[in-house]
Amino acid sequence: MEIIKSLDNKKIKGLSKLLIKKYRDLENKFIVEGEHLVLEAYKAGVLLEIIRCPEYECNLNVSETIVTYEVLKKLSFTKTPQKIMGICKKISEKEIGNKVLILDDIQDPGNLGTIIRSAVAFNVDTIVLSSNTVDLYNDKVLRSSEGMFFHINIIKRDINNLIKELKDKGYYVLGTKVDGGKDIRKIAHTEKMAIIVGNEGAGVKEEILDMCDDYLYIAMNLKCESLNVGVATSIILYELF
Amino acid sequence: MEIIKSLDNKKIKGLSKLLIKKYRDLENKFIVEGEHLVLEAYKAGVLLEIIRCPEYECNLNVSETIVTYEVLKKLSFTKTPQKIMGICKKISEKEIGNKVLILDDIQDPGNLGTIIRSAVAFNVDTIVLSSNTVDLYNDKVLRSSEGMFFHINIIKRDINNLIKELKDKGYYVLGTKVDGGKDIRKIAHTEKMAIIVGNEGAGVKEEILDMCDDYLYIAMNLKCESLNVGVATSIILYELF
């Protein structure tokens, strides 16, 4: 068994570039950490290769590279990663389903991960990320989604164009808005729905709100100005999907 | 105007101890960062003193200590804190209200902050923290609650004893449980309710579940094993309170 011990190993140096979004996009690959995510990647058919420490046994039918823990750490953002990682090819986009969640520039990776997890829980078919949304393959997004990003169609689009398209196809397009919206408990449930939630600070952009069929909000105590965006989105999905 | 420039200043050294839980408990004080939280602390009547940089003007009727940014940073966990902080006395506990949320060993400060924010939004009267719950006055808890901890009664108790007490007083005590619970949509709403949510990994402890009147869960797609605890708690509060 060959064990890579050198931090200057050419292969490891190449893989460590995947910690940077630019290279993930260029190579169409990403890294997952830990047994749970490696297994989910395998089941989803996107696991290309396993990188692991010699003491960590793994019985998946995938090529393996064995490395020391010091070398493995070079491929991780965390200080004490689990002793197994997977190199994956990015998941291919599928057609848009009937229950669509559109994210307008969500910035916090933890929020995106949480939203993906809740979207699977409440039967969203497709999540659409605007071009300025935090990168899906960011390690914190992957971790906080608890592997759920393997179980849902996530696509990247120009939202303005997409909304026009969805409206032409008869989707009921709803924007979230603190003022002047309808209580989510009073929103009609239709077969084809698209819900748009916005950036942590700024909410949904005005130009996008202007295109919506209706607006929704969550009724709450006036002492509280707003909810965490992951929480608000989850409640909306719980109520509407 | 005297400006403290030395990192070895006795007063600053004393205050910096408040970054550690032990000293917060000992002195019954805590630090908040940024204008928003300082103002909320002032309104809540717990702001003892302001620490700020000379260029940051502030018109509250509270004693001030002016420091350089380097000195101010010594009182913060963040690398680039806002230029104003407040030293506060801990908020005193009030009587338990009718809508009670009990947290059994929540560990992540972000989750606790999010839960506090949602608890205010959905009219919880009292949040009860078990003795092993993350410290309320941890800087990340304070930040992620967006100042909402000033607007709700938060107390610390031995949960086992408290549940006995609540049951004697006629509260309907509900534990969260993935298996064998009732769908939250089918739970009767009573005047006095207590809901118990558990630790991120382990859920609510068995011995505590044994004492509950009923169990609840959130119906969701089977592909998703569980929701983030902040999200799950928020949905439960949205539905029941």
Side-chain angles (χ1 to χ4, degrees):
Chain A
M1 185 165 68
E2 198 204 338
I3 301 175
I4 296 178
K5 290 172 185 158
S6 165
L7 293 170
D8 291 325
N9 179 279
K10 207 176 154 194
K11 172 165 190 169
I12 299 302
K13 273 188 153 173
L15 290 176
S16 71
K17 287 189 176 168
L18 295 178
L19 296 175
I20 301 163
K21 178 179 183 305
K22 187 175 117 185
Y23 291 99
R24 290 195 291 267
D25 289 346
L26 217 63
E27 302 200 17
N28 209 34
K29 290 180 189 168
F30 66 104
I31 301 178
V32 292
E33 287 186 33
E35 190 178 3
H36 174 63
L37 291 186
V38 167
L39 197 62
E40 292 282 346
Y42 180 74
K43 286 194 264 176
V46 296
L47 184 63
L48 300 170
E49 180 175 4
I50 285 169
I51 315 290
R52 66 169 175 88
C53 293
E55 66 271 31
Y56 203 103
E57 299 226 354
C58 181
N59 295 315
L60 301 178
N61 186 20
V62 177
S63 78
E64 291 187 329
T65 299
I66 318 293
V67 301
T68 63
Y69 194 50
E70 284 312 306
V71 170
L72 186 110
K73 278 197 225 173
K74 204 176 162 181
L75 302 179
S76 173
F77 278 108
T78 59
K79 280 185 193 158
T80 53
Q82 284 187 58
K83 291 179 175 171
I84 181 167
M85 289 180 172
I87 308 299
C88 310
K89 65 177 175 191
K90 285 198 186 177
I91 303 157
S92 34
E93 300 191 350
K94 297 189 195 79
E95 291 235 339
I96 292 185
N98 285 343
K99 293 177 176 179
V100 181
L101 175 65
I102 300 173
L103 305 181
D104 180 20
D105 298 359
I106 294 288
Q107 288 307 298
D108 180 84
N111 284 340
L112 178 55
T114 299
I115 290 172
I116 292 170
R117 196 170 165 191
S118 295
V120 173
F122 300 122
N123 309 304
V124 168
D125 295 315
T126 304
I127 298 177
V128 184
L129 311 180
S130 66
S131 37
N132 289 322
T133 298
V134 57
D135 185 37
L136 173 62
Y137 298 101
N138 172 305
D139 65 306
K140 281 187 202 154
V141 175
L142 300 182
R143 239 179 300 135
S144 53
S145 90
E146 296 273 338
M148 284 302 122
F149 63 95
F150 287 119
H151 294 285
I152 190 164
N153 181 30
I154 305 178
I155 67 179
K156 205 163 175 175
R157 286 293 158 82
D158 175 87
I159 303 190
N160 291 50
N161 292 334
L162 178 75
I163 294 176
K164 280 175 213 149
E165 211 183 285
L166 292 176
K167 288 180 76 169
D168 285 346
K169 288 181 179 163
Y171 282 76
Y172 183 32
V173 179
L174 293 157
T176 49
K177 207 176 172 182
V178 179
D179 296 316
K182 280 185 189 167
D183 185 335
I184 52 170
R185 289 187 163 104
K186 288 167 190 157
I187 293 283
H189 296 210
T190 61
E191 201 197 331
K192 290 175 164 188
M193 282 179 103
I195 295 165
I196 308 163
V197 297
N199 171 274
E200 287 85 351
V204 180
K205 287 189 215 66
E206 277 300 327
E207 59 180 284
I208 290 173
L209 284 177
D210 285 345
M211 301 166 73
C212 292
D213 295 314
D214 234 327
Y215 308 103
L216 44 82
Y217 81 97
I218 301 167
M220 65 179 99
N221 191 303
L222 293 176
K223 281 194 283 187
C224 186
E225 276 175 44
S226 68
L227 295 166
N228 165 285
V229 68
V231 165
T233 307
S234 303
I235 291 175
I236 291 167
L237 300 177
Y238 162 81
E239 185 66 50
L240 294 179
F241 283 169
Chain B
M1 184 166 68
E2 198 204 337
I3 301 174
I4 296 177
K5 290 174 185 155
S6 165
L7 293 170
D8 291 325
N9 178 281
K10 207 177 154 192
K11 173 165 189 169
I12 299 302
K13 274 189 153 174
L15 290 175
S16 71
K17 287 189 176 170
L18 296 178
L19 295 175
I20 300 163
K21 179 179 183 304
K22 188 176 118 185
Y23 291 99
R24 289 195 291 267
D25 289 346
L26 218 63
E27 302 200 17
N28 209 35
K29 290 179 188 168
F30 66 104
I31 302 178
V32 292
E33 287 186 33
E35 190 178 3
H36 175 62
L37 290 186
V38 167
L39 197 63
E40 291 282 347
Y42 180 75
K43 287 194 265 177
V46 296
L47 184 63
L48 300 170
E49 179 175 5
I50 286 169
I51 315 289
R52 65 169 176 89
C53 293
E55 65 270 32
Y56 203 105
E57 299 226 356
C58 180
N59 295 314
L60 301 178
N61 186 21
V62 176
S63 78
E64 291 187 330
T65 299
I66 318 294
V67 301
T68 62
Y69 194 50
E70 282 312 304
V71 170
L72 186 110
K73 278 197 224 174
K74 204 177 161 178
L75 302 180
S76 175
F77 277 109
T78 60
K79 280 183 191 159
T80 54
Q82 285 186 56
K83 291 179 174 170
I84 181 166
M85 288 179 174
I87 308 300
C88 310
K89 65 176 174 191
K90 285 198 187 177
I91 303 157
S92 35
E93 299 192 350
K94 297 188 196 80
E95 290 235 339
I96 291 184
N98 285 342
K99 293 178 175 179
V100 181
L101 175 64
I102 299 172
L103 305 181
D104 180 20
D105 297 0
I106 294 288
Q107 287 309 297
D108 180 84
N111 285 340
L112 178 55
T114 298
I115 290 172
I116 293 170
R117 196 170 165 191
S118 295
V120 173
F122 300 123
N123 309 304
V124 168
D125 295 315
T126 304
I127 298 176
V128 184
L129 311 179
S130 66
S131 38
N132 289 322
T133 299
V134 56
D135 185 38
L136 173 62
Y137 298 100
N138 171 305
D139 66 306
K140 282 186 202 155
V141 175
L142 301 182
R143 240 178 299 134
S144 53
S145 89
E146 296 273 339
M148 285 302 121
F149 64 95
F150 287 118
H151 294 284
I152 190 163
N153 182 30
I154 305 177
I155 68 178
K156 205 163 174 174
R157 286 294 159 82
D158 175 87
I159 302 189
N160 292 50
N161 292 335
L162 177 76
I163 294 175
K164 279 176 214 150
E165 211 182 286
L166 292 176
K167 288 180 75 168
D168 285 346
K169 289 181 179 162
Y171 282 77
Y172 183 31
V173 178
L174 292 156
T176 51
K177 207 175 172 182
V178 179
D179 296 315
K182 281 185 190 169
D183 185 336
I184 52 170
R185 290 187 162 103
K186 287 166 190 157
I187 293 283
H189 296 209
T190 60
E191 201 197 329
K192 290 175 163 188
M193 282 178 103
I195 294 166
I196 309 163
V197 298
N199 172 273
E200 286 86 351
V204 179
K205 287 189 217 61
E206 276 301 327
E207 59 181 283
I208 290 172
L209 283 177
D210 286 344
M211 302 166 73
C212 292
D213 295 315
D214 234 328
Y215 308 103
L216 43 81
Y217 81 96
I218 301 168
M220 66 179 98
N221 192 302
L222 292 176
K223 281 193 282 186
C224 186
E225 275 174 44
S226 68
L227 295 166
N228 164 286
V229 67
V231 166
T233 307
S234 302
I235 291 175
I236 292 167
L237 299 177
Y238 163 81
E239 186 64 52
L240 293 180
F241 283 169

